[in-house]
Amino acid sequence: MVIMLLVSFLVLFVTGLARGLAYANISAVENMPANYFAVQKDADHTFRRSQLNETELAAVRSVAGNQNAAPLAVQMSTITADQADVKADITFFAVDMDGMLAPKVSQGNGITNETQGSVIADSKLKESGVTLGSSIKDQASGLTFKVAGFTKDSSYSHTPVVYINTLDWKAMRQGTGQSGRVAEAVPYNVIALKATSAQVSEIMGRLDNVEVITQNQAIASIPGYSAEQNSLLMMIVFLFVIAAFVLAVFFYVITIQKTSQFGILKAMGTKMSYLAWSVVGQVLILSVASLAVSLLLTLGMNMGLPDSMPFQLEGRTILLTCVLFVGMSLLGSLISVARVAKVDALEAIGRAGA
């Protein structure tokens, strides 16, 4: 049981770490109330490569409705705060503050489409020393903003999201950069949609240069997400396989040690089905008991982890992990069942008598 406890604890911890890293990468997009995104056709589903204008936004809204289509502009940058030692990488999200993508403020005040020079930042930016009322400066455009409020669980590509309105976005894009040239004004990168499949087909039929992708496709195209999750998924799969082998070997050794007892039971007329369910039942009891203890240990450790460490275990993830672990344990127990089936009663009794 101790071996199973340690193995299941490792599986749960790595699974929580993988989910935490994923959430820190995609939470801003995952939490959006949108099931589709309209992007430029040759952008490879990547937000920052896509460029859409007001004409395309109007065409999309004519199909999906004004409240179900919201423009989104994305710009990764580096900011400095009024504190001299504060410097952080962030992602600007320019949204319509009256639309469905407007962030929910957890601390401070919200902003409107008419507000100039104010932003709403993800609460993770507090770890860099940014507080309510802090002035942050975008190094690319040179513009300075005041943090009016904070929102929760809004990260993109492992950076906290800073929400600005479309007014400040256009000022940022039309500003003069280090080259001295005026940047081209690109209104939006994507359009978030709450739409049906029929509406999606109509939009793609009207706009030849626009492709509508699902939320899962948009998440998979976030830089670094797929590579990171594939590596972690491979680790988790190997952990399950290793756990199955380790547990199968332990129960197989225990079964060999009980060969004489199984032989005597067979000689007494005990059915093989009863013996098989006995072995499988023992494995099931030990698996469930060890999982319960390891789950308590994992949740306890999660409470002691620093906020900067991405770790997340949802109910669905816990249930799936536990079911897979128990399933792998029961699969490994079939080797022991096969061993019991091969036990010869007379031979086992002879060994016991010797």
Side-chain angles (χ1 to χ4, degrees):
M1 183 173 176
V2 172
I3 296 297
M4 295 183 73
L5 189 153
L6 293 175
V7 172
S8 59
F9 171 76
L10 181 61
V11 170
L12 283 169
F13 187 81
V14 174
T15 302
L17 182 61
R19 178 56 188 159
L21 286 170
Y23 195 70
N25 199 353
I26 65 172
S27 59
V29 177
E30 187 177 64
N31 293 331
M32 285 182 180
N35 56 348
Y36 291 100
F37 293 91
V39 297
Q40 193 174 354
K41 204 164 191 176
D42 57 352
D44 295 330
H45 300 178
T46 304
F47 283 5
R48 289 184 295 159
R49 295 179 185 174
S50 174
Q51 296 181 3
L52 301 177
N53 54 39
E54 293 283 355
T55 302
E56 291 156 338
L57 175 61
V60 170
R61 281 181 166 173
S62 66
V63 176
N66 291 340
Q67 297 301 319
N68 296 325
L72 170 66
V74 180
Q75 177 67 51
M76 302 191 77
S77 185
T78 301
I79 60 164
T80 55
D82 44 13
Q83 297 90 342
D85 58 340
V86 174
K87 192 173 185 178
D89 293 326
I90 58 96
T91 300
F92 283 109
F93 271 21
V95 301
D96 179 4
M97 293 299 168
D98 294 328
M100 65 178 180
L101 298 186
K104 295 180 180 179
V105 179
S106 60
Q107 183 182 1
N109 301 314
I111 60 175
T112 66
N113 288 325
E114 289 73 32
T115 305
Q116 285 186 297
S118 294
V119 299
I120 298 173
D122 180 55
S123 57
K124 290 185 178 63
L125 207 56
K126 294 179 183 179
E127 299 171 6
S128 300
V130 176
T131 59
L132 279 177
S134 292
S135 294
I136 59 174
K137 182 178 181 180
D138 174 35
Q139 288 193 335
S141 64
L143 296 178
T144 301
F145 303 96
K146 181 181 178 181
V147 178
F150 285 106
T151 186
K152 291 183 178 180
D153 298 329
S154 190
S155 300
Y156 181 86
S157 194
H158 293 295
T159 61
V161 170
V162 175
Y163 290 89
I164 61 175
N165 57 26
T166 53
L167 187 64
D168 282 334
W169 167 248
K170 291 178 180 179
M172 181 186 297
R173 295 297 295 170
Q174 292 173 349
T176 302
Q178 294 179 353
S179 62
R181 295 181 298 177
V182 177
E184 181 184 358
V186 180
Y188 314 112
N189 293 105
V190 298
I191 301 171
L193 294 168
K194 282 197 294 187
T196 63
S197 56
Q199 290 174 326
V200 168
S201 299
E202 185 177 350
I203 291 171
M204 294 181 68
R206 289 191 182 188
L207 301 172
D208 295 334
N209 65 324
V210 171
E211 181 180 7
V212 180
I213 61 176
T214 64
Q215 187 179 47
N216 289 335
Q217 287 176 312
I219 288 173
S221 301
I222 294 176
Y225 174 78
S226 296
E228 177 185 86
Q229 288 304 301
N230 288 338
S231 299
L232 290 170
L233 179 61
M234 185 177 295
M235 290 174 57
I236 294 171
V237 170
F238 273 108
L239 278 176
F240 275 113
V241 173
I242 292 170
F245 273 107
V246 170
L247 297 177
V249 168
F250 267 92
F251 282 110
Y252 186 74
V253 171
I254 293 174
T255 302
I256 291 176
Q257 292 175 342
K258 296 179 179 179
T259 300
S260 300
Q261 289 92 327
F262 283 122
I264 294 172
L265 288 171
K266 278 190 171 183
M268 294 171 60
T270 305
K271 293 183 179 180
M272 181 57 209
S273 59
Y274 177 83
L275 297 177
W277 280 112
S278 175
V279 173
V280 173
Q282 291 178 36
V283 175
L284 181 62
I285 292 172
L286 290 174
S287 299
V288 173
S290 60
L291 269 173
V293 177
S294 62
L295 183 58
L296 291 175
L297 289 175
T298 304
L299 295 177
M301 178 171 285
N302 183 29
M303 295 176 63
L305 290 175
D307 294 335
S308 58
M309 186 171 183
F311 186 91
Q312 188 178 36
L313 267 182
E314 301 170 336
R316 183 177 60 182
T317 305
I318 292 174
L319 180 62
L320 178 61
T321 303
C322 292
V323 169
L324 286 174
F325 185 81
V326 173
M328 294 295 286
S329 300
L330 295 178
L331 186 63
S333 70
L334 296 181
I335 300 176
S336 298
V337 173
R339 173 64 182 179
V340 173
K342 293 179 181 179
V343 172
D344 184 82
L346 295 177
E347 184 183 349
I349 293 173
R351 288 181 182 176

